[in-house]
Amino acid sequence: MPAMLSRKGIIPEEYVLTRLAEDVPDHPRYRARERRARFVGKNGTCNVAHKNIREQGRFLQDVFTTLVDLKWPHTLIIFTMSFLCSWLLFAMVWWLIAFAHGDLDQSTQQLLGAPAVEFVPCVTEIRSFTSAFLFSIEVQVTIGFGGRMMTEECPAAILILIVQNIVGLVINAIMLGCIFMKTAQAHRRAETLIFSKHAVIALREGKLCFMLRVGDLRKSMIISATICMQVVRKTATPEGEVVPLNQIDIQMENPVGGNSIFLVSPLIICHVIDKNSPLYDVAPDNLHHHEDLEVIVILEGVVETTGITTQARTSYLADEILWGQRFVPIVTEEDGQYSVDYSKFGNTLKVPTPNCTARQLEENRSILDSISLSPRGTSRKRSIRLKPKFSIADEPS
């Protein structure tokens, strides 16, 4: 009845929802909107599921990459089965050669005590499939215990010996190369590149800036390191087309020009929010978990010790961006060298910041006169786990 009256406009809909909640307090009929799904996880993994792929054969056209991309249990199973199947296949071939040449009959007669005759087998000491399997293993892995050996009696057996050695070398090259690539993958190095758990927005030189901190836990450097950021959000074109994951590049402020960084100590990566920024109309009220906003950060460079290109990624949802905060300094000079205190890596400091968008600040510069720009503020500690999978950092200016 109340719902019917609400549809007719007789009573407000808010009153109907309130009454329903009072009638059934333990079983609410509606719930708050869930948090926005991430496009890129904090550890850099992409939250995208590929479904209904009809052209599965494309993966087999690049077998090596497919093997490297497999999970370790699957890789180890394929590694074991590739050798086992090749041993069994050639064991069957050796057994057929011995059977066709009569080696098995001669061995049986000798075991039964028949009079010895001059007979030269293709492979000595092959009496059954088991012995053929053992000889196959000896040939392919070059063990050679000395009990079984080739003779000059069968040219076909010599040809099979050559073929099995070539096949064994190919399997060794592919599988060992795959294992090496899996253990030396570039994302292993990225686990020691860390990002701050939160990003901040504060004033810098009179302009609102989006800032995050990135750092490297290893002493070996990342050469030619570059960093870029993108905003991912749902947009609609003037023609009515809805783009669910529109990726918009945003620029960083770098004194040397470009996006290259010298990542010896933690750095603070700064993006000035101007009229060309996708964050131009973002206000403090927009930084909540309902907001359709995600900032993706990508750090890429060459590992100094291996020469392999590595990439580390993270993202910040709207509620992970702190308004009116800045990172506390963590680099100090001690005993003639610079020291980095990673226990303060994610700590922020509250600073005076106007509660308006960058557009409003640019249009009305008098807003800055109404706030105190004193450097003093309240320190706000952000406890983060310095798990290599989670972060990347930057040094405060």
Side-chain angles (χ1 to χ4, degrees), residues 322-343:
L322 307 178
W323 191 280
Q325 303 278 330
R326 74 180 178 195
F327 293 105
V328 300
I330 63 174
V331 179
T332 57
E333 187 176 355
E334 299 178 359
D335 300 329
Q337 66 177 4
Y338 293 97
S339 175
V340 180
D341 185 3
Y342 280 97
S343 65

Side-chain angles (χ1 to χ4, degrees), residues 202-209 272-273 354 358 361-362 365 368 373:
L203 285 174
R204 177 178 277 191
E205 297 182 357
K207 298 180 181 179
L208 284 176
C209 298
V272 179
I273 305 177
L361 181 62
E362 185 174 348
R365 299 297 297 180
L368 293 176
L373 298 181

Side-chain angles (χ1 to χ4, degrees), residues 19-189:
R19 297 302 303 169
L20 289 174
E22 291 176 358
D23 294 340
V24 192
D26 296 333
H27 303 283
R29 302 194 178 205
Y30 61 95
R31 60 182 180 179
R33 178 183 172 187
E34 294 182 357
R35 187 178 187 180
R36 180 189 185 275
R38 288 184 179 275
F39 183 58
V40 174
K42 296 295 284 184
N43 60 351
T45 58
C46 296
N47 186 24
V48 179
H50 300 276
K51 298 181 178 179
N52 301 325
I53 300 178
R54 299 181 180 180
E55 298 181 2
Q56 297 286 350
R58 291 180 177 269
F59 294 100
L60 298 179
Q61 295 178 5
D62 187 5
V63 178
F64 186 78
T65 303
T66 302
L67 291 175
V68 173
D69 289 341
L70 290 176
K71 296 181 179 179
W72 269 109
H74 298 160
T75 301
L76 294 177
I77 290 174
I78 293 176
F79 180 85
T80 304
M81 293 304 298
S82 62
F83 285 104
L84 185 60
C85 290
S86 64
W87 295 338
L88 288 171
L89 174 63
F90 283 99
M92 179 62 69
V93 175
W94 290 117
W95 183 84
L96 290 176
I97 290 176
F99 177 78
H101 191 255
D103 298 353
L104 301 179
D105 296 336
Q106 185 66 24
S107 299
T108 303
Q109 293 175 9
Q110 292 178 359
L111 289 175
L112 294 176
V117 295
E118 187 176 351
F119 179 81
V120 180
C122 293
V123 180
T124 61
E125 299 298 328
I126 287 187
R127 299 186 178 90
S128 62
F129 181 79
T130 302
S131 58
F133 178 71
L134 293 175
F135 180 72
S136 176
I137 296 177
E138 294 175 14
V139 170
Q140 191 160 326
V141 299
T142 63
I143 295 177
F145 292 114
R148 301 172 186 87
M149 56 179 293
M150 288 284 302
T151 65
E152 301 175 357
E153 184 69 16
C154 302
I158 299 175
L159 178 62
I160 295 301
L161 179 69
I162 296 173
V163 172
Q164 183 172 5
N165 277 283
I166 294 175
V167 171
L169 290 174
V170 172
I171 294 176
N172 285 337
I174 294 176
M175 298 312 302
L176 295 180
C178 175
I179 297 296
F180 172 77
M181 291 301 298
K182 286 187 70 67
T183 55
Q185 281 183 340
H187 70 268
R188 305 296 181 188
R189 179 61 176 86

Side-chain angles (χ1 to χ4, degrees), residues 185-200:
Q185 281 183 340
H187 70 268
R188 305 296 181 188
R189 179 61 176 86
E191 291 182 358
T192 51
L193 298 172
I194 58 173
F195 297 92
S196 57
K197 184 178 180 181
H198 295 88
V200 299

Side-chain angles (χ1 to χ4, degrees), residues 202 324-329 347-353 372-381:
Q325 303 278 330
R326 74 180 178 195
F327 293 105
V328 300
N347 292 2
T348 59
L349 185 73
K350 188 173 180 60
V351 293
T353 306
S372 173
L373 298 181
S374 171
R376 292 175 296 177
T378 304
S379 177
R380 184 174 182 179
K381 294 185 178 180

